Amino acid sequence: MRTLYPFHGGVHPADHKSESAQLGIAVAPLPQRLVVSLFQHRGSPAKPVVTIGEQVLKGQRIGAAEGMISSSVHAPSSGRITAIELHPAPHHSGLPDLSITLETDGEERWIERQPMDYCAIDPSGLRQHLQDMGVVGLGGAAFPSHVKLNANHLETLVINAAECEPYITCDDMLMRERAAEVVQGIMIAQHAMGARNVLIGIEDNKPLAIASMQAACQGTGMEVVVVPTLYPSGSTKQLIKLLTGKEVPSGGLPTQIGVQCFNVATAYSMHRVANHGEPVISRLVTLTGNVEEARNYEVLIGTPIGELVKLARPKADTTGYIMGGPMMGLPLTDLSVPVVKATNCIIATSKALFPPLPRAMPCIRCTRCAAACPADLQPQELFWFAKSKNFEKAQEYKLFDCIECGCCSYVCPSHIPLVQFYRFAKSEISAQEKDRKAADLARERHEFREFRQEREKLEKAARHAAKAAEAAARAAKTSEGGGDADVDAAAAAKKAAIQAAIERAKAKKAAVKPQNVDDLPPEAQAKIDEIDERRAQAKETAEQTVTAQNTDEGQSA
Amino acid sequence: MSMNSPLVAEQSTVSVIMLKVLGALVPAIAVYVYFFGPAILVSITLASVAALATEAAVLYLRRYPLRVYLLDGSALVTAWLLALSVPPMAPWWMVVVGTVFAILVAKHLYGGLGNNLFNPAMVGFAALMISFPAHMTQWPAPEMLAQTHWSFTQQMDFVFGGMLPADSKLDAVTMATPLDALKTQLHLDREMTDIQSGKIFSTLSGKGTEIIALLYLLGGLFLWQQRIISWHIPLSFLAAMFGTAGLFYLFDSSQYASPLFHIFAGGTMLGAFFIATDYVTSPTTLLGKLIFGAGIGVCAYIIRVFGGYPDGVAFAVLFLNSAVPLIDAYTQPRVFGHARKWFKGSKE
Ligand code: SF4
Ligand code: SF4
């Protein structure tokens, strides 16, 4: 048995996994219309490379990656492009994405698929290929995978198969049914990064997946590590800690400690890309919750969620839908949103499964939240600072190390929507940081102008002084001879004055340099960008919450 | 309010926590009644009514919803803890004044539930102790030791009207507590073993009171088992008091009572498990809790042995309450992914 290094805290929500794990994976029928978002991943959106009216083949690239942190998107089926427009998308921000609408023709005609020998090309070529084929993290974060593959002589490659969120079973079923392919995918990542060890972390509530993965790993040197069921052991940082005992430094990347982590479904899609030449056009989605027949489906990206959920036959008393799990998922307000690469699960909600939470009470400092926090934070302090908008303090108490896992809210006996307050504070801080940067730039410009004006003034004065001194010297020379010392003194004074002005300006400049937002690693930057994007919405909901709470408090019942 | 993740939660509430705290006190109260008569039930009732009425009035004035906040149970916990700290033979208005003061001043003037710096019950207790010291020492004698026995009606006549039964004096039913007795008699230069052979003393500390203390301990263990309190404060409190008392005891056992005596005497057990553990007025970090508990243990011992008051738990709690913001600020734990730091402000 491998030694595990438990992380702090964690919670045990009811897992509701068996419901959707009874039946094998089914293929969802081809919808008539697919809406493929160009912004399915973190970073920058892809750029459309097709035109309206164009006929496309299944697997044809329709959006090209733009920049380093971006990923291409492909036609999930063959058909005709009918629109390229903003369309509602399942994002926390609630913002629509530029999306490509595809009328399918039902023929499923593929482009020419070319498997590649990934061992024969150099890693940078492989990374390029994965970006072109649209490989992103399928665990829910949708970070472009090629960026993460940029490491060599890696000590440990961690495969995240913990699937710790309740209800979700798509990774479980994937491992049960397609373990061999998953392992082939892992080999690609292992090869690309020269990883010495491969650890596959699976929670102990998935015995069948564990067995099939163990069988598939025979003779590969990969190790299946069974970890106790504890939310959020599937969070990258927590899983890495659990398996290796190492902590990813705050604001840093796993590669800094010689580790990289991929989701098991991402590894599977690497296999499809490299060994079958198929881009990422579908994924497994768990349909579960308040439905007649919970099950996992292989779903084309772009399938409208409203249409998809019908497969599971939602019960009559369904109150809504969640994309993702109940701990970190996104409640859907609009069912026209399409499946994106991050869509791992759709849960139909009901009053019985998701009873409304009791009203929020003041924080009683019971510290249950701190005991549950896997990031070793003090959520009650963060709440206090976020609520009073004391953002500086919130940062001092490491707000940005919060992974928004929701454990704190889950255990809070006062039922305070803590995570909402953190999202709000984070977005406010990022916004302030942006404003400050802009202001700094303006101030720097202003200061430079002042500095230049002052320098010109000084130079002018110095010129005058020099002239005067020269005249004096000349006069002195005619009268006495000698007196160069005076001239030297005047020149030195001039130099000193200019030097002093420069120093002053430099010092000022140094003092106003923004401190904590430079040189962020791409993942952190992408995160901040995403936070920014969520800002408007988070701010709104958080303020609603605060006012709701205040008005609640302000009304006597 | 729009929905936002997480969308599930544990179903525990503040009310449930407070109810469990009250429940954990019940066995000790039952034994209290057994040894000292039912008067304590009257003071608990008085305090409860006073607490709820004050709470309701303040909530109304502050325009808070009455029902949820009255049902949160926190006012009742304050009331019960205060009632258990005041002698049941004291005039009825004392426990009422103390409770009103606790809820009004210590709780709501600081902002209400969750915002108070000082433990409300202990503020109420301290106010009474300072204003009416004589009444606060009228502890009833355990029934088996009392010279005469007052009926419940006689007790109530005294509590509510100050009327003594004919041909009986207050002294006949009250008695110095073991801590008190120890202190006064040591001043008279008596030896410890000699004093402790007195009839109010027993194996652990005092007759009757030691059993109540044991039940506070059991109630506390129940709260710990229910994960309502953590072990940090009670254990460090008891350990620190035991340790301090032990040192003095080793130094001179004829002048200082044994450590076991101290942790079962006075308000130690109630304080360690029910008062010092009050969420709102104790530190939130684990290290902070240890420091806090230990601080109370040491201070309570010093006050009760060397100070002018019969017991030191309440004042020690209040003293350490005032240090909580400081303790919290200096004991922040290491955050995931950060280097260990040993004091606040150190470079990471
Ligand atoms: S769990 Fe809730 S009530 Fe308890 S300390 Fe945390 S925020 Fe406060
Ligand atoms: S949401 Fe943030 S503060 Fe709350 S438990 Fe998770 S990491 Fe800790």
Side-chain angles (χ1 to χ4, degrees), chain A residues 102-123:
Chain A
L102 173 71
E103 295 286 352
T104 56
D105 57 17
E107 291 176 25
E108 298 265 40
R109 268 177 300 129
W110 271 97
I111 45 155
E112 194 189 333
R113 282 166 281 178
Q114 277 177 332
M116 74 189 300
D117 180 7
Y118 62 87
C119 293
I121 65 170
D122 69 302

Side-chain angles (χ1 to χ4, degrees), chain A residues 362-369 380 408 411-414 416 418:
Chain A
C363 167
I364 54 169
R365 291 170 47 95
C366 68
T367 64
R368 290 184 179 198
C369 50
Q380 78 283 353
C408 49
V411 297
C412 177
S414 286
I416 303 170
L418 296 164

Side-chain angles (χ1 to χ4, degrees), chain A residues 386-435:
Chain A
K387 189 178 175 182
S388 57
K389 305 200 177 162
N390 190 346
F391 297 137
E392 214 161 285
K393 270 285 190 193
Q395 270 174 294
E396 198 182 293
Y397 279 71
K398 314 285 186 264
L399 173 67
F400 280 91
D401 287 297
C402 165
I403 57 170
E404 299 183 18
C405 64
C407 290
C408 49
S409 303
Y410 180 79
V411 297
C412 177
S414 286
H415 298 287
I416 303 170
L418 296 164
V419 184
Q420 237 166 299
F421 279 93
Y422 308 149
R423 291 195 186 118
F424 164 70
K426 284 182 188 176
S427 56
E428 284 296 284
I429 292 168
S430 314
Q432 283 180 4
E433 209 77 64
K434 246 189 188 165
D435 291 351

Side-chain angles (χ1 to χ4, degrees), chain A residues 303-324:
Chain A
T303 304
I305 286 177
E307 207 169 306
L308 178 66
V309 293
K310 289 189 193 136
L311 292 178
R313 287 179 284 128
K315 294 182 187 161
D317 60 343
T318 296
T319 48
Y321 296 91
I322 303 168
M323 180 179 113

